[in-house]
Amino acid sequence: MVNHVVLSAETDLDHGGRWTSLRGGGREWLWHRPDPDRASVGPGDAFVDAGGLEECLPTVRGIPDHGDAWSRPWRREGDTDALHHTDFTLRRRLRPGPAGALCAAYHLSAEPGYRLVWAAHALLDLTEDARLVAPETTPTRLFPESLPLIDTPWPVTARHVTGPWPAPFGVRLDRLGPDDGTAVGAILTGCRHITVIDGSDRLSLSLRTDADVPVSVALWRNLRGFPRTGTPYRSIGVEPMLGAVFDLSEAGPGDAAIVPSSGELRWELWITADRGPAAAPDESTG
C-alpha cells in the first residue's frame, strides 16, 4: 500500500528566496551544507553551495554564477514572493495541492525576446541506495566534466554530447551511490517529470507550462568529486528547469526559454511524495 505524504516548505526571502526546507512524513528532503558566507552574498558574487533549493535565473553556470536571483533579497507581496530585477520580475506562489502535493507557481515578466534559463536548484538529502526514475531513452546531455567517464572520444568542438537515459555513453546516471570521487552534470532534455526513490520514500518533481519553451531536468551527481581543491563532499541536485543547457551563453536554437510578445511566462513546479514498501532494486518506473 502506498500512502501520500503531505509536503510543506519553508523559504528565506532575505537570502535569494531560497527554500530552506521541504518536509513531509517526518523526513527532510533538502540537503544542507552550512556555510557562513551564504548570509553575506551580493549580486555578482560566486555561488555559495549551502544546500536547500536555490532559484537560478537567468542562467545556472556562467555569468553571473548560478544566476542573478539567488544572491538578491526578495520580498513578500500579498500571497506571493517577488524579486524585482532591472531585467525581469519573478513572482512565486506556494500552495498546497491534492494528496499532499506542493505547487510552486511562477510568473516572470520581462521584455519580449528576453532569453533565460531557470532551474529549481534542489539539493536533496539521499542515501547511497537512492535512484532516479525518468522515461527510458530520454535524450540526456553530458558536459565536459564527464569526459573521464564516457566510453567514446569527445568531439573536439562540442560543448555537450547527447545519449539515452539512464546511461548515456556508458555513464549510469540513475544510481546515486556509493561515492566514487566523481562529479557529473547532465540535462534530461524534454523531460517534465522525474522521481527519486530512496528506500520506501518517493519524491516526484514535475513541471507544467503552456508556454512554448524547452523543459528539462538537470542532474548534478556529486559523489565526493567536487570541489576539485579542498575537501570534496557529496551533493545530489535534481533540478527541474526551463532550458536545455546550464550556461545561457552556450544556448543554441531551442536551448533557452524566450519571453513571448505578451512579456510574460508562467509555469508551475509540482512536488509530490509518498511512502510504501521499499522498491525492488530493478524497479524501472515511478
Side-chain angles (χ1 to χ4, degrees), residues 57 77 82-91 107-110:
L57 177 79
E77 297 178 352
L83 171 64
H84 297 279
H85 185 274
T86 54
D87 294 334
F88 59 82
T89 294
L90 179 64
R91 293 182 172 89
H107 177 198
L108 177 82
S109 302

Side-chain angles (χ1 to χ4, degrees), residues 6-283:
V6 178
L7 291 172
S8 63
E10 296 177 7
T11 60
D12 182 352
L13 297 186
D14 290 337
H15 299 97
R18 65 193 301 262
W19 302 38
T20 56
S21 178
L22 177 62
R23 191 169 183 83
R27 175 168 184 159
E28 174 58 61
W29 281 98
L30 295 182
W31 170 85
H32 294 90
R33 177 178 171 268
D35 190 324
D37 290 341
R38 182 62 183 85
S40 59
V41 296
D45 285 350
F47 184 64
V48 177
D49 194 6
L53 185 157
E54 304 279 10
E55 303 282 358
C56 294
L57 177 79
T59 191
V60 182
R61 297 179 182 176
I63 299 173
D65 189 10
H66 282 68
D68 222 3
W70 73 275
S71 59
R72 296 173 180 266
W74 293 37
R75 67 190 190 196
R76 188 72 172 170
E77 297 178 352
D79 62 354
T80 301
D81 305 328
L83 171 64
H84 297 279
H85 185 274
T86 54
D87 294 334
F88 59 82
T89 294
L90 179 64
R91 293 182 172 89
R92 176 189 67 197
R93 182 165 70 93
L94 299 178
R95 69 175 189 270
L102 182 67
C103 173
Y106 293 87
H107 177 198
L108 177 82
S109 302
E111 288 293 321
Y114 182 72
R115 300 170 73 251
L116 64 111
V117 170
W118 165 85
H121 188 277
L123 293 171
L124 302 181
D125 189 3
L126 303 172
T127 71
E128 292 187 349
D129 295 325
R131 52 201 175 84
L132 299 174
V133 176
E136 293 286 324
T137 73
T138 294
T140 302
R141 291 180 171 180
L142 295 177
F143 295 81
E145 70 269 13
S146 65
L147 180 59
L149 302 177
I150 66 174
D151 57 10
T152 189
W154 190 276
V156 175
T157 61
R159 290 175 170 170
H160 52 74
V161 294
T162 303
W165 176 266
F169 298 96
V171 183
R172 190 70 187 266
L173 293 174
D174 59 333
R175 305 296 173 172
L176 302 178
D179 294 345
D180 60 7
T182 65
V184 177
I187 295 179
L188 288 74
T189 62
C191 184
R192 292 175 176 262
H193 178 89
I194 194 164
T195 297
V196 180
I197 301 176
D198 196 3
S200 60
D201 290 327
R202 297 171 183 247
L203 186 76
S204 295
L205 303 98
S206 302
L207 274 184
R208 302 179 186 178
T209 182
D210 294 328
D212 183 18
V213 293
V215 174
S216 305
V217 175
L219 171 64
W220 172 240
R221 196 191 67 174
N222 174 24
L223 305 180
R224 298 190 185 277
F226 178 87
R228 300 299 183 189
T229 60
T231 304
Y233 51 86
R234 173 186 173 89
S235 57
I236 304 295
V238 181
E239 308 169 21
M241 68 185 301
L242 302 184
V245 290
F246 287 111
D247 189 339
L248 180 62
S249 70
E250 298 180 355
D255 288 343
I258 300 175
V259 175
S261 59
S262 65
E264 298 183 338
L265 275 179
R266 297 178 185 270
W267 67 94
E268 293 181 342
L269 171 61
W270 282 82
I271 310 175
T272 61
D274 59 65
R275 179 171 291 157
D282 61 349
E283 184 177 295

